Amino acid sequence: TAGITQAPTSQILAAGRSMTLRCTQDMRHNAMYWYRQDLGLGLRLIHYSNTAGTTGKGEVPDGYSVSRANTDDFPLTLASAVPSQTSVYFCASSPDRTTGELFFGEGSRLTVL
Amino acid sequence: EDQVTQSPEALRLQEGESSSLNCSYTVSGLRGLFWYRQDPGKGPEFLFTLYSAGEEKEKERLKATLTKKESFLHITAPKPEDSATYLCAGPDNTDKLIFGTGTRLQVFP
């Protein structure tokens, strides 16, 4: 079973360039999330979507945008990357917004130089 | 401010040496406390949900307990394959999970 698929697995990006991290789920979950994980800071929520067609800002949304055109896909876009966006990005989903049982992807490691 | 704090940051155990990990929270009106396991280079994997003080959940060598102010993850007779980072999380007032920074557990044979 695939669950959550993220792409790319790893990417090196020049500062100022744009980048879209892809996330697809096959569980028909309503809620989806993007987190970044940094050493010493843990997982921090960037953006979320409670259901297709809606999105919301998390704890650290600046410099990132998301869209939720359908149930399965939740891409994260960096319009103009900066070195502070170097991180490991995790996409997650849950059946609905009220459950804390999240299913995570394997992560996308992004380095901005 | 809603906050989840885990201790210790790192823990090294000999195989068979039992211990406990701590998760304290200041999330108001707690609506669940969640434990995850994360292996290096992987995404977190859900372990347990605890909803009320006194509740306990078990899975193999792991047992999670909850009081009004904190949760413990007890590891009994750990094996090297239990080595991982253990994360706890609680929902804020918008039901979004706030994660602690984790405890990195290493179990040596």
Side-chain angles (χ1 to χ4, degrees):
Chain A
T1 58
I4 298 269
T5 302
Q6 291 186 234
T9 303
S10 179
Q11 182 75 43
I12 299 175
L13 188 67
R17 300 296 295 267
S18 66
M19 174 77 193
T20 294
L21 303 180
R22 300 184 298 277
C23 175
T24 300
Q25 55 115 347
D26 64 1
M27 297 172 283
R28 307 301 292 171
H29 284 172
N30 283 317
M32 296 188 76
Y33 312 86
W34 274 106
Y35 286 88
R36 61 178 289 174
Q37 188 172 39
D38 302 287
L39 195 63
L41 296 176
L43 285 161
R44 292 180 293 167
L45 183 64
I46 305 171
H47 284 287
Y48 65 91
S49 169
N50 289 332
T51 189
T54 70
T55 62
K57 295 181 179 180
E59 180 185 357
V60 288
D62 294 343
Y64 306 95
S65 63
V66 292
S67 61
R68 186 89 183 276
N70 57 59
T71 297
D72 298 341
D73 301 301
F74 191 44
L76 177 73
T77 297
L78 290 68
S80 180
V82 295
S84 61
Q85 292 178 309
T86 294
S87 186
V88 181
Y89 292 86
F90 288 99
C91 180
S93 72
S94 63
D96 61 72
R97 69 173 186 86
T98 63
T99 178
E101 182 178 348
L102 272 55
F103 295 78
F104 284 84
E106 298 285 81
S108 295
R109 180 176 295 276
L110 180 65
T111 302
V112 182
L113 301 176
Chain B
E1 180 187 355
D2 295 335
Q3 198 166 359
V4 176
T5 304
Q6 293 188 246
S7 63
E9 288 186 11
L11 183 62
R12 292 164 57 96
L13 298 175
Q14 203 70 34
E15 184 172 4
E17 179 186 3
S18 301
S19 188
S20 296
L21 282 56
N22 177 264
C23 173
S24 62
Y25 54 87
T26 57
V27 177
S28 58
L30 188 72
R31 298 174 305 287
L33 190 290
F34 305 88
W35 283 97
Y36 286 79
R37 169 187 171 132
Q38 185 175 21
D39 292 302
K42 304 288 187 182
E45 180 182 353
F46 171 78
L47 288 173
F48 304 111
T49 304
L50 300 165
Y51 284 109
S52 55
E55 187 175 0
E56 298 182 353
K57 294 277 181 70
E58 287 189 64
K59 181 179 181 179
E60 296 182 354
R61 294 173 293 282
L62 301 177
K63 183 169 76 174
T65 62
L66 183 66
T67 71
K68 287 186 178 181
K69 293 183 178 181
E70 58 192 349
S71 178
F72 293 93
L73 185 64
H74 307 278
I75 303 175
T76 301
K79 297 183 177 182
E81 53 262 42
D82 295 320
S83 298
T85 296
Y86 291 87
L87 305 170
C88 72
D92 65 14
N93 59 6
T94 65
D95 290 326
K96 302 301 174 289
L97 284 186
I98 300 172
F99 282 85
T101 53
T103 294
R104 187 175 70 256
L105 173 67
Q106 292 177 292
V107 182
F108 294 92

